[in-house]
Short mmCIF file of all heavy atoms in Angstrom, two decimals:
data_model
loop_
_atom_site.label_atom_id
_atom_site.label_comp_id
_atom_site.label_asym_id
_atom_site.label_seq_id
_atom_site.Cartn_x
_atom_site.Cartn_y
_atom_site.Cartn_z
N LEU U 819 45.56 -12.32 -26.04
CA LEU U 819 44.63 -11.50 -25.24
C LEU U 819 44.27 -10.21 -25.96
O LEU U 819 43.10 -9.79 -25.95
CB LEU U 819 45.24 -11.20 -23.87
CG LEU U 819 45.31 -12.38 -22.91
CD1 LEU U 819 46.02 -11.97 -21.62
CD2 LEU U 819 43.91 -12.90 -22.59
N ALA U 820 45.25 -9.57 -26.59
CA ALA U 820 44.98 -8.34 -27.33
C ALA U 820 44.04 -8.61 -28.51
O ALA U 820 43.09 -7.85 -28.75
CB ALA U 820 46.28 -7.71 -27.81
N LEU U 821 44.30 -9.69 -29.24
CA LEU U 821 43.43 -10.04 -30.35
C LEU U 821 42.02 -10.36 -29.88
O LEU U 821 41.03 -9.92 -30.48
CB LEU U 821 43.99 -11.24 -31.12
CG LEU U 821 45.19 -10.97 -32.02
CD1 LEU U 821 45.72 -12.28 -32.59
CD2 LEU U 821 44.83 -10.01 -33.13
N LEU U 822 41.93 -11.11 -28.80
CA LEU U 822 40.62 -11.46 -28.25
C LEU U 822 39.84 -10.20 -27.87
O LEU U 822 38.66 -10.06 -28.20
CB LEU U 822 40.79 -12.39 -27.05
CG LEU U 822 39.54 -13.06 -26.52
CD1 LEU U 822 38.86 -13.89 -27.59
CD2 LEU U 822 39.88 -13.92 -25.33
N GLY U 823 40.51 -9.27 -27.20
CA GLY U 823 39.86 -8.01 -26.83
C GLY U 823 39.41 -7.22 -28.05
O GLY U 823 38.29 -6.69 -28.09
N PHE U 824 40.28 -7.16 -29.06
CA PHE U 824 39.93 -6.44 -30.29
C PHE U 824 38.76 -7.11 -31.00
O PHE U 824 37.84 -6.43 -31.47
CB PHE U 824 41.14 -6.36 -31.22
CG PHE U 824 40.84 -5.71 -32.53
CD1 PHE U 824 40.58 -4.34 -32.61
CD2 PHE U 824 40.80 -6.46 -33.70
CE1 PHE U 824 40.30 -3.74 -33.82
CE2 PHE U 824 40.52 -5.87 -34.91
CZ PHE U 824 40.27 -4.50 -34.98
N PHE U 825 38.78 -8.42 -31.09
CA PHE U 825 37.71 -9.14 -31.77
C PHE U 825 36.37 -8.95 -31.05
O PHE U 825 35.34 -8.76 -31.70
CB PHE U 825 38.03 -10.63 -31.90
CG PHE U 825 39.22 -10.95 -32.77
CD1 PHE U 825 39.82 -12.18 -32.70
CD2 PHE U 825 39.73 -10.02 -33.66
CE1 PHE U 825 40.91 -12.50 -33.50
CE2 PHE U 825 40.83 -10.31 -34.47
CZ PHE U 825 41.41 -11.56 -34.39
N VAL U 826 36.38 -9.00 -29.73
CA VAL U 826 35.14 -8.78 -28.97
C VAL U 826 34.63 -7.36 -29.21
O VAL U 826 33.42 -7.15 -29.43
CB VAL U 826 35.37 -9.04 -27.46
CG1 VAL U 826 34.21 -8.54 -26.63
CG2 VAL U 826 35.61 -10.53 -27.20
N PHE U 827 35.53 -6.40 -29.19
CA PHE U 827 35.14 -5.01 -29.46
C PHE U 827 34.53 -4.89 -30.86
O PHE U 827 33.51 -4.21 -31.04
CB PHE U 827 36.36 -4.09 -29.32
CG PHE U 827 36.09 -2.67 -29.71
CD1 PHE U 827 35.30 -1.84 -28.93
CD2 PHE U 827 36.63 -2.16 -30.88
CE1 PHE U 827 35.05 -0.53 -29.29
CE2 PHE U 827 36.39 -0.85 -31.27
CZ PHE U 827 35.59 -0.03 -30.47
N MET U 828 35.12 -5.55 -31.85
CA MET U 828 34.62 -5.45 -33.21
C MET U 828 33.28 -6.17 -33.38
O MET U 828 32.48 -5.76 -34.23
CB MET U 828 35.66 -5.98 -34.20
CG MET U 828 36.89 -5.10 -34.29
SD MET U 828 36.54 -3.35 -34.62
CE MET U 828 35.94 -3.44 -36.28
N VAL U 829 33.03 -7.22 -32.61
CA VAL U 829 31.69 -7.84 -32.64
C VAL U 829 30.67 -6.82 -32.17
O VAL U 829 29.61 -6.64 -32.78
CB VAL U 829 31.64 -9.12 -31.76
CG1 VAL U 829 30.21 -9.56 -31.52
CG2 VAL U 829 32.45 -10.24 -32.40
N TRP U 830 30.98 -6.12 -31.10
CA TRP U 830 30.07 -5.11 -30.56
C TRP U 830 29.87 -3.97 -31.56
O TRP U 830 28.73 -3.56 -31.83
CB TRP U 830 30.61 -4.57 -29.23
CG TRP U 830 29.78 -3.46 -28.67
CD1 TRP U 830 28.56 -3.55 -28.07
CD2 TRP U 830 30.10 -2.07 -28.71
NE1 TRP U 830 28.10 -2.31 -27.71
CE2 TRP U 830 29.04 -1.38 -28.10
CE3 TRP U 830 31.19 -1.36 -29.18
CZ2 TRP U 830 29.05 0.00 -27.96
CZ3 TRP U 830 31.19 0.02 -29.04
CH2 TRP U 830 30.12 0.68 -28.43
N VAL U 831 30.95 -3.47 -32.14
CA VAL U 831 30.86 -2.38 -33.12
C VAL U 831 30.06 -2.85 -34.34
O VAL U 831 29.18 -2.13 -34.82
CB VAL U 831 32.27 -1.91 -33.56
CG1 VAL U 831 32.20 -1.01 -34.79
CG2 VAL U 831 32.98 -1.20 -32.42
N GLY U 832 30.35 -4.04 -34.82
CA GLY U 832 29.63 -4.56 -35.99
C GLY U 832 28.15 -4.74 -35.73
O GLY U 832 27.31 -4.42 -36.58
N TRP U 833 27.82 -5.26 -34.55
CA TRP U 833 26.40 -5.46 -34.22
C TRP U 833 25.69 -4.11 -34.10
O TRP U 833 24.57 -3.95 -34.60
CB TRP U 833 26.27 -6.25 -32.92
CG TRP U 833 24.84 -6.46 -32.53
CD1 TRP U 833 24.17 -5.87 -31.51
CD2 TRP U 833 23.89 -7.30 -33.19
NE1 TRP U 833 22.87 -6.29 -31.49
CE2 TRP U 833 22.67 -7.17 -32.52
CE3 TRP U 833 23.96 -8.14 -34.30
CZ2 TRP U 833 21.53 -7.86 -32.90
CZ3 TRP U 833 22.81 -8.82 -34.67
CH2 TRP U 833 21.61 -8.68 -33.98
N THR U 834 26.33 -3.16 -33.48
CA THR U 834 25.76 -1.82 -33.34
C THR U 834 25.52 -1.20 -34.71
O THR U 834 24.45 -0.63 -34.97
CB THR U 834 26.69 -0.92 -32.49
OG1 THR U 834 26.90 -1.53 -31.23
CG2 THR U 834 26.10 0.45 -32.30
N TYR U 835 26.51 -1.30 -35.57
CA TYR U 835 26.38 -0.73 -36.91
C TYR U 835 25.30 -1.44 -37.71
O TYR U 835 24.52 -0.80 -38.42
CB TYR U 835 27.72 -0.78 -37.63
CG TYR U 835 27.81 0.19 -38.77
CD1 TYR U 835 27.86 1.55 -38.54
CD2 TYR U 835 27.80 -0.26 -40.08
CE1 TYR U 835 27.90 2.46 -39.58
CE2 TYR U 835 27.85 0.63 -41.13
CZ TYR U 835 27.90 1.97 -40.88
OH TYR U 835 27.94 2.86 -41.92
N ALA U 836 25.25 -2.77 -37.62
CA ALA U 836 24.22 -3.52 -38.34
C ALA U 836 22.82 -3.11 -37.89
O ALA U 836 21.92 -2.96 -38.72
CB ALA U 836 24.43 -5.03 -38.14
N GLN U 837 22.65 -2.90 -36.60
CA GLN U 837 21.35 -2.48 -36.09
C GLN U 837 20.95 -1.11 -36.62
O GLN U 837 19.79 -0.85 -36.90
CB GLN U 837 21.34 -2.47 -34.57
CG GLN U 837 21.27 -3.86 -33.98
CD GLN U 837 21.24 -3.81 -32.46
OE1 GLN U 837 21.98 -3.03 -31.85
NE2 GLN U 837 20.40 -4.63 -31.88
N ARG U 838 21.94 -0.21 -36.73
CA ARG U 838 21.65 1.12 -37.26
C ARG U 838 21.21 1.08 -38.72
O ARG U 838 20.49 1.96 -39.17
CB ARG U 838 22.88 2.02 -37.16
CG ARG U 838 23.19 2.47 -35.79
CD ARG U 838 24.33 3.45 -35.81
NE ARG U 838 24.98 3.44 -34.52
CZ ARG U 838 26.21 3.82 -34.31
NH1 ARG U 838 26.96 4.25 -35.30
NH2 ARG U 838 26.73 3.78 -33.11
N MET U 839 21.69 0.09 -39.45
CA MET U 839 21.43 0.00 -40.88
C MET U 839 20.19 -0.84 -41.22
O MET U 839 19.90 -1.05 -42.39
CB MET U 839 22.65 -0.58 -41.59
CG MET U 839 23.92 0.23 -41.41
SD MET U 839 23.76 1.94 -41.94
CE MET U 839 23.66 1.72 -43.70
N GLN U 840 19.46 -1.31 -40.22
CA GLN U 840 18.39 -2.26 -40.48
C GLN U 840 17.22 -1.69 -41.26
O GLN U 840 16.46 -2.45 -41.88
CB GLN U 840 17.91 -2.87 -39.17
CG GLN U 840 17.20 -1.92 -38.23
CD GLN U 840 16.83 -2.61 -36.94
OE1 GLN U 840 16.64 -3.80 -36.90
NE2 GLN U 840 16.74 -1.83 -35.87
N TYR U 841 17.05 -0.39 -41.28
CA TYR U 841 15.90 0.18 -41.98
C TYR U 841 16.24 0.66 -43.39
O TYR U 841 15.35 1.02 -44.14
CB TYR U 841 15.30 1.32 -41.16
CG TYR U 841 14.81 0.82 -39.82
CD1 TYR U 841 15.44 1.21 -38.65
CD2 TYR U 841 13.74 -0.07 -39.73
CE1 TYR U 841 15.01 0.73 -37.42
CE2 TYR U 841 13.31 -0.55 -38.51
CZ TYR U 841 13.95 -0.13 -37.36
OH TYR U 841 13.53 -0.61 -36.15
N GLN U 842 17.52 0.65 -43.75
CA GLN U 842 17.91 1.01 -45.11
C GLN U 842 17.99 -0.27 -45.94
O GLN U 842 18.37 -1.32 -45.44
CB GLN U 842 19.25 1.71 -45.11
CG GLN U 842 19.21 3.07 -44.46
CD GLN U 842 20.55 3.79 -44.58
OE1 GLN U 842 21.47 3.31 -45.21
NE2 GLN U 842 20.64 4.94 -43.94
N VAL U 843 17.63 -0.15 -47.20
CA VAL U 843 17.66 -1.32 -48.07
C VAL U 843 18.64 -1.09 -49.22
O VAL U 843 18.91 0.05 -49.60
CB VAL U 843 16.25 -1.66 -48.62
CG1 VAL U 843 15.33 -2.12 -47.51
CG2 VAL U 843 15.67 -0.50 -49.39
#
Side-chain angles (χ1 to χ4, degrees):
L819 288 176
L821 285 174
L822 191 58
F824 177 70
F825 295 163
V826 168
F827 174 72
M828 292 307 291
V829 167
W830 176 75
V831 168
W833 179 252
T834 302
Y835 200 69
Q837 285 181 318
R838 286 186 204 157
M839 300 303 290
Q840 68 183 333
Y841 299 112
Q842 292 184 5
V843 294

